[in-house]
Amino acid sequence: MQDLAIYPGSFDPVTNGHADIVRRGLTVFDRILVAVLENPKKAPLFTTKERVAMIRNVFKGRKEVEVMSFSGLLVEFAKARGTNTVIRGLRAISDFEYEFQMALMNRQLAPHMETLFMMPSQEFSFLSSNLVKEVFMLGGSVRNLVPELVERKLREKSGNKAGFKSR
Ligand code: PNS
């Protein structure tokens, strides 16, 4: 058993559902490394730096939670960080196919890589970063769905980014 697991994702932005998975992960592992994908193809709303900074802020003072960005293959990054355990949240059946493909591809690339799925609290089982952005953009409330800081950052973006309804 390893004491470190890697929790990769886009986190654009981090939601309370992600934070819930990190907390659950810490009941099984001593340390969680949140790995933020730097993916120039995806055109995220928040830059990699912003996404990393927001997650660090959410877990401020928790030295068992480390946050880093990565590019390239996840299995290579995990190996370089000294773990072969990946944690992913599984919200619903609809997540299953995508997660199944990724887990098996990672296993194909690195046979010792294991993916552990954790279910978020039921209150977050419908939550995704994309829905948060959409709801916010259309003027809906995202309170209780994202950390306060993230709500503030969304508001800041809406102030200076086309596509966001001004509020
Ligand atoms: O939050 P997301 O966008 O569902 O996370 C997807 C992520 C970052 C876990 C996945 O895209 C990933 O691991 N990308 C790194 C590239 C890689 O290793 N690809 C091959 C295995 S699927």
Side-chain angles (χ1 to χ4, degrees):
M1 193 64 181
Q2 298 183 354
D3 72 336
L4 173 71
I6 192 163
Y7 178 36
S10 300
F11 304 106
D12 184 39
V14 64
T15 68
N16 287 346
H18 295 130
D20 182 64
I21 294 293
V22 172
R23 279 189 280 271
R24 286 174 195 282
L26 285 171
T27 66
V28 182
F29 296 93
D30 295 330
R31 293 181 299 133
I32 301 284
L33 169 58
V34 182
V36 178
L37 178 67
E38 197 174 321
N39 186 353
K41 271 197 257 160
K42 260 196 167 175
L45 175 63
F46 291 99
T47 64
T48 310
K49 251 184 159 174
E50 288 172 323
R51 285 178 281 148
V52 166
M54 282 189 282
I55 305 169
R56 283 198 179 134
N57 192 289
V58 169
F59 292 101
K60 202 167 43 191
R62 304 285 305 268
K63 59 180 184 332
E64 63 277 34
V65 181
E66 198 184 344
V67 188
M68 292 178 79
S69 62
F70 78 105
S71 55
L73 285 177
L74 172 65
V75 294
E76 295 298 335
F77 181 66
K79 207 190 303 173
R81 304 308 306 173
T83 180
N84 63 9
T85 310
V86 174
I87 291 183
R88 290 283 290 172
L90 198 60
R91 289 165 300 192
I93 303 275
S94 50
D95 280 342
F96 182 76
E97 200 172 336
Y98 170 60
E99 295 297 335
F100 185 74
Q101 274 186 327
M102 282 203 297
L104 291 186
M105 177 55 83
N106 284 335
R107 184 181 286 167
Q108 165 77 24
L109 294 167
H112 299 301
M113 193 62 59
E114 290 297 342
T115 305
L116 298 187
F117 295 103
M118 302 199 84
M119 277 184 289
S121 167
Q122 219 172 326
E123 61 186 301
F124 302 128
S125 57
F126 63 93
L127 187 55
S128 74
S129 299
N130 283 341
L131 270 185
V132 162
K133 284 181 283 192
E134 182 173 324
V135 167
F136 185 86
M137 203 187 309
L138 297 171
S141 171
V142 295
R143 192 151 302 149
N144 301 325
L145 303 182
V146 293
E148 252 180 70
L149 167 82
V150 172
E151 198 185 346
R152 221 166 40 240
K153 293 286 172 195
L154 281 165
R155 219 173 290 125
E156 276 173 32
K157 284 269 174 202
S158 76
N160 54 26
K161 194 160 178 121
F164 267 96
K165 186 175 163 180
S166 56
R167 27 195 5 249

